[in-house]
Amino acid sequence: MGGMAVILVGLALASVLKGASDPVDTTPAPPCPFGFVDNVGDAERIREQLRAVPEGAELLGALRREVRFCFGTIDVPVVTEGRLLVLDARASVPEQAARVGHLLHHVTEGMPFPDDVPADADCDAILETAIEREAEAYALEVRLRQAVDLDPDRYEFEPAARRASGRAQVALVERYLREHPSGAPNMDPLIAGYRQRCEVERAEAGSASSP
């Protein structure tokens, strides 16, 4: 038992040291897009809501770059440029916090779509990565919504997702995304959009590399 305790302590310390050594991007985030404003007070209220939930606090602690909270009118909040959280000012703080958790998952774990698509890109593989990352982010959003006592009524899959856990929860959302490539209530046409974007950017890269 003593040896196992030493190993566990060593692993925990290594994890802490790794997190502390990760590079931090100290450059300021870009300005908000037209029609959206950076409201520091509203952003802090969202952060406070996230800090009150273990998974939310973990997300905030994992941030290695500055992000900007941009408030305006948007039906489906998104993250742009990997750092701008474009949020709906009409939503309640708990609603905003749960969605921000989804978006911060993309910031900390990797955006669903790559920055560059080369001429020889495998769009099927890119799409599979996008589906997996989106499913993980939606599953997290569902858990955060439940943690802040929101009704399971934003997404059609939400009631079933709340009854699942772990990998089964993510797999449930993955299936839903595959079955609804052109979008669904409160969801953009993610899968169809990623597919089209990959094919267009791959073709453009091929044209640019042609003599």
Side-chain angles (χ1 to χ4, degrees):
M1 289 296 291
M4 179 61 71
V6 170
I7 291 173
L8 292 175
V9 170
L11 289 173
L13 180 59
S15 177
V16 170
L17 291 175
K18 179 181 182 298
S21 64
D22 285 344
V24 178
D25 184 352
T26 59
T27 59
C32 291
F34 179 78
F36 290 81
V37 296
D38 180 357
N39 188 317
V40 176
D42 287 344
E44 184 54 30
R45 280 186 281 275
I46 292 173
R47 289 179 184 272
E48 288 177 0
Q49 180 78 81
L50 284 172
R51 292 189 195 105
V53 179
E55 279 195 287
E58 185 178 350
L59 275 171
L60 292 174
L63 277 175
R64 311 304 291 170
R65 60 174 62 180
E66 177 190 304
V67 295
R68 193 180 303 279
F69 291 66
C70 301
F71 298 89
T73 301
I74 184 171
D75 291 331
V76 181
V78 297
V79 55
T80 65
E81 301 186 45
R83 305 180 70 174
L84 297 180
L85 310 181
V86 185
L87 307 173
D88 190 0
R90 302 167 297 179
S92 67
V93 171
E95 289 270 4
Q96 292 170 334
R99 184 63 183 180
V100 165
H102 174 135
L103 303 180
L104 289 182
H105 184 278
H106 290 325
V107 175
T108 60
E109 300 299 323
M111 298 295 290
F113 197 84
D115 291 334
D116 299 301
V117 177
D120 60 350
D122 182 345
C123 284
D124 288 336
I126 287 176
L127 194 62
E128 286 302 307
T129 297
I131 291 172
E132 180 179 356
R133 291 181 176 176
E134 287 288 3
E136 290 172 350
Y138 273 109
L140 172 59
E141 184 178 352
V142 165
R143 295 194 299 273
L144 291 173
R145 287 177 58 81
Q146 185 170 13
V148 297
D149 296 322
L150 291 169
D151 291 333
D153 57 5
R154 180 164 179 81
Y155 305 112
E156 291 179 336
F157 59 76
E158 190 172 354
R162 288 196 184 190
R163 294 191 296 270
S165 62
R167 182 59 204 171
Q169 187 182 55
V170 176
L172 184 153
V173 181
E174 284 184 357
R175 287 195 299 272
Y176 185 88
L177 292 174
R178 294 179 195 280
E179 292 168 0
H180 298 80
S182 299
N186 295 314
M187 297 180 69
D188 288 329
L190 294 171
I191 307 310
Y194 287 142
R195 167 69 72 180
Q196 181 180 29
R197 180 178 172 187
C198 183
E199 292 174 352
V200 168
E201 293 190 15
R202 181 175 62 182
E204 290 176 345
S207 297
S209 62
S210 298

